[in-house]
Amino acid sequence: MKNIIFIATLFITQFIIAQNDPTRGYKVKVGEQAPQISFSLLDGTPITNETLKDKVVVLQFTASWCSVCRKEMPHLEKEVWQRFKNDDFILIGIDLKEEPEKVKRFIDQMNVSYPIGLDIDGTNFDNFTLPNAGVTRNIVLDKKGKIIFLSRLYEEKEFKQMIQIIDLELKKT
């Protein structure tokens, strides 16, 4: 019982610290160019900063074991992907440190249709975040690869703000 209380206390403490951290676990900032990314989608398609140019991009870091990710993904599918997928837009879920077969099962369970990439060793995640940062992150890039929005966890108000930013960015010429 003491172990359970200790683990719960540790989790709650880390959550509170993360919520009060102004960086929210990011080492990048809005207004900066996105760091180098390089990964493949589940179908083998390679993705780099170059392949994302001329599109508004949402990079969603996720994992099958993440309950907040599971809560957010249906909203990303319905409110973001289905709304913007026919524009100069791409939403890519990037699964963190899991093998392709596990990721395929996860995606089937979540019933999402947006592309999913693999960050098997966590390099891409580490390019954006501080050490030991938690998953459930959305990074929005403009058509030139500049970071225009960063989110952490799933909060409805922040999620709606992200949608507004995507919409405004897509209306720019």
Side-chain angles (χ1 to χ4, degrees):
M1 183 65 159
K2 287 182 182 179
N3 284 344
I4 293 172
I5 293 171
F6 173 76
I7 291 170
T9 303
L10 182 63
F11 177 77
I12 291 168
T13 302
Q14 287 180 331
F15 180 79
I16 291 169
I17 290 169
Q19 292 301 97
N20 293 322
D21 175 6
T23 69
R24 299 180 83 190
Y26 281 105
K27 63 176 146 186
V28 296
K29 294 180 177 79
V30 170
E32 295 179 349
Q33 202 66 24
Q36 281 304 117
I37 57 170
S38 179
F39 60 90
S40 292
L41 299 178
L42 278 172
D43 68 5
T45 303
I47 301 293
T48 64
N49 300 66
E50 190 63 31
T51 61
L52 299 175
K53 278 192 176 176
D54 300 322
K55 291 193 177 291
V56 175
V57 177
V58 174
L59 301 174
Q60 176 231 0
F61 283 99
T62 190
S64 67
W65 45 264
C66 171
S67 62
V68 178
C69 300
R70 287 177 174 271
K71 179 180 177 183
E72 180 184 58
M73 290 175 82
H75 296 281
L76 284 166
E77 173 70 25
K78 182 180 178 188
E79 299 170 51
V80 179
W81 180 239
Q82 293 303 319
R83 178 174 174 184
F84 299 116
K85 70 180 181 179
N86 295 318
D87 297 323
D88 291 329
F89 174 80
I90 185 97
L91 162 61
I92 302 175
I94 305 173
D95 189 272
L96 183 60
K97 298 182 180 180
E98 295 183 301
E99 294 300 320
E101 287 308 313
K102 186 171 197 166
V103 176
K104 287 176 186 173
R105 286 190 305 271
F106 171 46
I107 297 313
D108 286 345
Q109 290 171 357
M110 296 309 303
N111 198 30
V112 295
S113 64
Y114 53 86
I116 303 293
L118 301 170
D119 190 13
I120 292 175
D121 66 0
T123 299
N124 292 285
F125 186 73
D126 292 345
N127 286 341
F128 287 92
T129 61
L130 295 169
N132 302 313
V135 75
T136 315
R137 295 177 181 277
N138 294 307
I139 300 157
V140 182
L141 309 177
D142 70 9
K143 292 180 181 183
K144 295 180 182 176
K146 187 175 72 173
I147 298 167
I148 58 173
F149 188 80
L150 298 168
S151 73
R152 170 76 179 110
L153 300 171
Y154 174 74
E155 297 170 358
E156 188 175 345
K157 183 178 176 183
E158 184 176 59
F159 191 83
K160 299 295 183 196
Q161 183 183 8
M162 178 181 73
I163 292 170
Q164 289 175 339
I165 287 171
I166 294 166
D167 189 43
L168 288 172
E169 194 62 29
L170 286 168
K171 289 177 179 171
K172 292 181 180 178
T173 56

